[in-house]
Amino acid sequence: MRFGLVGSLALGLLSGSWAIAQQPTPTVGNPVSVLPANPSVTPLPAGDSTSLFAATTALPEVPAPSFYARGEYLLWFVKPYDTISLVQVIPTNFAQNPTDPIPAGVATTVIPTKRLSGDALSGFRINAGLWLDEAQSFGADFVYWRLPRTTKTQTVASPGEPVITRSVIPAGDGTAAASGFFIYASPFDGGIAGSVSVSSAISMDGAEANARIKGDAFFADYVDYLVGFKYVNLDETLRISDRRTFLDSGLLLTSSEAFRTRNQFYGAQIGAHTHYRADRWSADLLLKFAVGAMNTTVERTGATTAFFPGLPPQTLPGALLVQPSNLGTRSDTQTVVIPELTFNLGYQLTDNLQLFVGYNFMLISTVYRPGATIDPSVNPASVPFLGAIPRDISSRPAPVMLS
């Protein structure tokens, strides 16, 4: 079971509402021909033909606002995911014979395998609703939020020293020993200059449509219940790009491989919203619980291009961790629950404008993250332009789908 955790801090938020109600217009009376029906209503002198009746009866109160809306700035933190060691450096003497696996404890990881996507994400949320009756007992509530795509890139480059490698677990074809790592920069064998970049990208968005039903208030000014539909989309990509130049021959190899996961949730939702107000200060607590289907798509892409001196570039599908054995797109669907809690503390600036700050916590019970879809077991003999066997006979790396 894979768990996803999402937390948010909403700062500098504004909300407002206005009335869609019109105050009734008083009726003009004729003081000569019309007599007051109510003894408390006294006609003005007959000589003043332009005057109104002076009535003590109060006009009807204007109904409370029937439409509301608020906008929020979001600062969210998404639980980071782990992956295998993607880029390492080793002592120079271990690069002399790359057919020998790297002994344990020799390689040093230079790009972290943890917290690849744990940075703060900025976004926005819009909430709008409409009461469908004057008593404000039943209405419709809509929410849309988005965290735009954010990319984090880390690069390691070397002209030959230090020695850059990418370790894998050998998965031979049964006829020959397989190497445990690949050299991307080395001073041996004519010299190899190389670089490796790892980038992680993430974006999230979601929407809700709920019926809002007034409930019995207890220890609060009002309590509303929510029943409706919830949508959440988590889109992440882990991309590894490398470049190797063989200094003696002039051969240049470039490759790029990517692991993309897209988790889309569709489900039913119930919730409760309680509000408490003291003078201009207010506090809101919002609880939601959704259950539905999580449709996950895992896409693996990769290609390697060779630039031989004096020849046109040649491109083959696959790279190191993505090869014909796991290239392509696969999907999975699971039942998922999403509990969510929001707390806001607000201050009423004007009758129709409020400033508030809050905290939001959302848990997604099961998601696929890019790091969990990588098979570290690779047959090095099937790597494009470097392998010694036909590339279609290897069954590793496999198309990993964790549940």
Side-chain angles (χ1 to χ4, degrees):
M1 184 75 72
R2 302 294 299 174
F3 291 90
L5 177 65
V6 178
S8 73
L9 178 64
L11 301 172
L13 313 180
L14 295 176
S15 70
S17 61
W18 60 88
I20 309 178
Q22 184 174 352
Q23 185 168 335
T25 302
T27 303
V28 177
N30 187 332
V32 176
S33 61
V34 179
L35 296 177
N38 191 325
S40 65
V41 180
T42 304
L44 295 179
D48 187 359
S49 61
T50 61
S51 299
L52 304 179
F53 281 105
T56 60
T57 305
L59 295 174
E61 294 184 359
V62 177
S66 58
F67 176 82
Y68 59 89
R70 68 169 57 186
E72 307 175 41
Y73 165 74
L74 301 177
L75 182 64
W76 281 31
F77 297 86
V78 178
K79 181 181 178 181
Y81 60 83
D82 299 341
T83 184
I84 65 172
S85 296
L86 298 175
V87 184
Q88 299 173 312
V89 294
I90 61 173
T92 303
N93 59 300
F94 286 97
Q96 298 183 45
N97 187 5
T99 60
D100 295 333
I102 303 175
V106 169
T108 301
T109 299
V110 291
I111 293 183
T113 60
K114 299 179 181 293
R115 303 195 66 84
L116 284 176
S117 62
D119 296 338
L121 306 175
S122 293
F124 66 90
R125 177 163 50 196
I126 299 173
N127 180 204
L130 178 68
W131 291 108
L132 302 178
D133 62 342
E134 292 186 2
Q136 296 189 353
S137 60
F138 182 79
D141 187 87
F142 305 94
V143 178
Y144 176 75
W145 56 271
R146 180 172 177 80
L147 303 175
R149 190 174 184 85
T150 301
T151 303
K152 176 182 178 181
T153 302
Q154 303 173 76
T155 302
V156 178
S158 172
E161 293 187 76
V163 177
I164 301 175
T165 70
R166 290 180 60 191
S167 299
V168 294
I169 298 175
D173 64 344
T175 60
S179 172
F181 63 97
F182 275 81
I183 299 289
Y184 285 82
S186 173
F188 301 102
D189 296 329
I192 303 173
S195 63
V196 184
S197 295
V198 177
S199 64
S200 56
I202 180 173
S203 65
M204 287 189 72
D205 64 286
E208 299 178 19
N210 299 296
R212 182 179 284 266
I213 305 168
K214 185 71 66 179
D216 295 330
F218 48 93
F219 303 110
D221 290 294
Y222 67 77
V223 174
D224 293 341
Y225 297 104
L226 303 173
V227 179
F229 171 82
K230 189 184 193 76
Y231 167 78
V232 177
N233 174 43
L234 172 61
D235 194 336
E236 295 182 283
T237 300
L238 175 63
R239 184 176 300 277
I240 309 163
S241 303
D242 61 64
R243 182 184 182 93
R244 280 168 285 179
T245 302
F246 296 81
L247 302 179
D248 58 345
S249 64
L251 169 63
L252 170 63
L253 291 179
T254 63
S255 68
S256 179
E257 51 192 349
F259 300 83
R260 181 187 179 187
T261 59
R262 187 175 186 184
N263 299 272
Q264 293 180 296
F265 172 83
Y266 304 86
Q269 175 175 260
I270 59 173
H273 176 199
T274 180
H275 174 87
Y276 176 79
R277 183 168 182 173
D279 195 19
R280 287 188 172 273
W281 292 94
S282 64
D284 291 88
L285 180 63
L286 183 60
L287 301 173
K288 299 177 184 178
F289 182 84
V291 59
M294 179 69 82
N295 181 26
T296 300
T297 301
V298 177
E299 181 182 8
R300 301 175 183 87
T301 59
T304 300
T305 300
F307 298 86
F308 295 94
L311 298 175
Q314 300 180 36
T315 301
L316 292 176
L320 180 60
L321 297 174
V322 176
Q323 296 183 9
S325 57
N326 64 343
L327 267 171
T329 302
R330 288 169 173 80
S331 299
D332 187 23
T333 301
Q334 300 184 65
T335 300
V336 169
V337 297
I338 303 182
E340 183 176 355
L341 180 148
T342 301
F343 174 77
N344 291 330
L345 180 64
Y347 182 79
Q348 199 73 32
L349 296 177
T350 69
D351 291 342
N352 295 314
L353 192 62
Q354 182 189 52
L355 176 70
F356 64 97
V357 62
Y359 178 79
N360 178 237
F361 174 90
M362 181 170 64
L363 173 70
I364 304 176
S365 63
T366 303
V367 293
Y368 286 81
R369 311 295 297 273
T373 64
I374 299 176
D375 180 10
S377 184
V378 174
N379 187 344
S382 62
V383 175
F385 299 108
L386 297 178
I389 62 174
R391 302 180 62 238
D392 58 353
I393 71 171
S394 175
S395 61
R396 304 296 294 268
V400 178
M401 291 289 287
L402 297 179
S403 58

